[in-house]
Amino acid sequence: MKSPFVAAALACLTALPAAAQDRFAIPVTAQVLPGWVRDDGARVAAVQLSLEPGWKTYWRAPGDAGIPPSFDWSGSRNLHSVAITWPTPQVFDQNGMRSIGYEDELVIPLVLAPTAPGEPIRVRLDMEIGICSDICIPHSLNFDETLAGGDSKPTPAIAAALAQSPYSAQEAGVTAATCRIEPTEDGLRIEARVTAPSAGAHEVMVIEPGLGDVWVSEAQTHRTGGDVIAVSEMIHVEGGAIAVDRSAIRLTVLGSSHAIDIRGCSAG
């Protein structure tokens, strides 16, 4: 969610002219990689972000210390749907706060399904990201690109980013994923348990509720035998009741050797 402060800062930055967003004021450059066309007619493209040394940006679930990215495709043409693949992020611990994201360079693969296959796709994307060094600031990126041509040869940078995505539950050998949910005074307490081989040292689990208006606290994660266990709190941003669909909950285990993406969990 965006705090009133972040929302106000986003509005201010959006109003800045492009000429003011130079490398010194905003230490990130961005471009759309046109990619290639698959046999099914969908285009595999990407957004590429290059960050100045010492700066980082955030994953889709950035942690309490991060700013979540957002995408607005509403001005695009001949674009039926978009699927985003996130490469495995890093966990940053700084000043007692945890954030999850990327440093140096980030390539975000996109699968763009056209309304009319074989015709050019006009990508008009307004993207909001957070970038952070000693300070963290929101930043607006605006793209207007027409992607045409039928090249079927994969772009190395995009293929590499796809290869860096987390393992699926099946690929990682997950045999069970459960979520025990209990009411609290302010919302809900969730205990997620994933039975799987180790993902490496310093495992961290991220819990995403699949609900847009629910804040989830930083999960306290530990491993007991074959299980990774994480406990977190869920609170509705407007103080209302929360109706959780376990099939929509997304659990990500981040370890030093790999990450695991688990879609849905059963009752614990």
Side-chain angles (χ1 to χ4, degrees):
M1 67 176 178
K2 294 176 183 174
S3 70
F5 171 78
V6 171
L10 280 172
C12 292
L13 281 175
T14 302
L16 286 175
Q21 300 178 4
D22 58 32
R23 290 171 61 87
F24 300 101
I26 301 296
V28 58
T29 56
Q31 63 176 328
V32 172
L33 302 180
W36 68 95
V37 177
R38 301 191 315 199
D39 291 342
D40 63 1
R43 176 174 289 275
V44 182
V47 172
Q48 182 180 46
L49 308 180
S50 299
L51 297 151
E52 294 292 316
W55 288 81
K56 60 180 178 285
T57 191
Y58 296 104
W59 186 49
R60 65 168 189 266
D64 286 348
I67 300 171
S70 66
F71 302 80
D72 180 358
W73 306 90
S74 59
S76 300
R77 297 291 182 269
N78 192 33
L79 183 59
H80 178 264
S81 64
V82 180
I84 300 172
T85 298
W86 290 93
T88 297
Q90 296 176 250
V91 178
F92 301 99
D93 290 300
Q94 186 175 13
N95 301 323
M97 300 188 73
R98 176 186 297 165
S99 63
I100 302 173
Y102 310 87
E103 55 189 356
D104 299 328
E105 185 173 273
L106 169 61
V107 175
I108 307 172
L110 311 167
V111 177
L112 309 176
T115 304
E119 296 297 319
I121 299 173
R122 183 177 180 182
V123 174
R124 297 188 67 178
L125 168 61
D126 295 326
M127 184 175 174
E128 306 287 355
I129 63 171
I131 52 177
C132 189
S133 180
D134 297 327
I135 60 170
C136 296
I137 57 174
H139 176 52
S140 297
L141 298 169
N142 307 107
F143 304 94
D144 189 349
E145 303 282 346
T146 298
L147 307 182
D151 188 2
S152 61
K153 182 178 179 180
T155 304
I158 303 176
L162 288 168
Q164 293 166 8
S165 61
Y167 292 154
S168 68
Q170 182 178 4
E171 290 169 336
V174 174
T175 57
T178 62
C179 295
R180 179 180 299 170
I181 300 172
E182 302 171 345
T184 65
E185 183 178 344
D186 298 318
L188 298 173
R189 176 185 183 272
I190 179 170
E191 179 185 283
R193 182 183 295 256
V194 174
T195 304
S198 173
H202 311 298
E203 289 173 312
V204 169
M205 190 187 300
V206 181
I207 301 172
E208 298 173 78
L211 299 168
D213 294 326
V214 174
W215 173 82
V216 181
S217 68
E218 179 180 301
Q220 301 302 308
T221 309
H222 68 281
R223 175 174 280 274
T224 300
D227 294 341
V228 184
I229 303 167
V231 178
S232 188
E233 304 290 327
M234 295 183 182
I235 300 174
H236 196 285
V237 296
E238 296 180 353
I242 303 172
V244 176
D245 177 1
R246 284 183 174 84
S247 68
I249 292 175
R250 191 170 188 175
L251 309 174
T252 306
V253 179
L254 302 170
S256 59
S257 63
H258 62 269
I260 311 170
D261 184 12
I262 302 108
R263 308 293 185 98
C265 53
S266 59

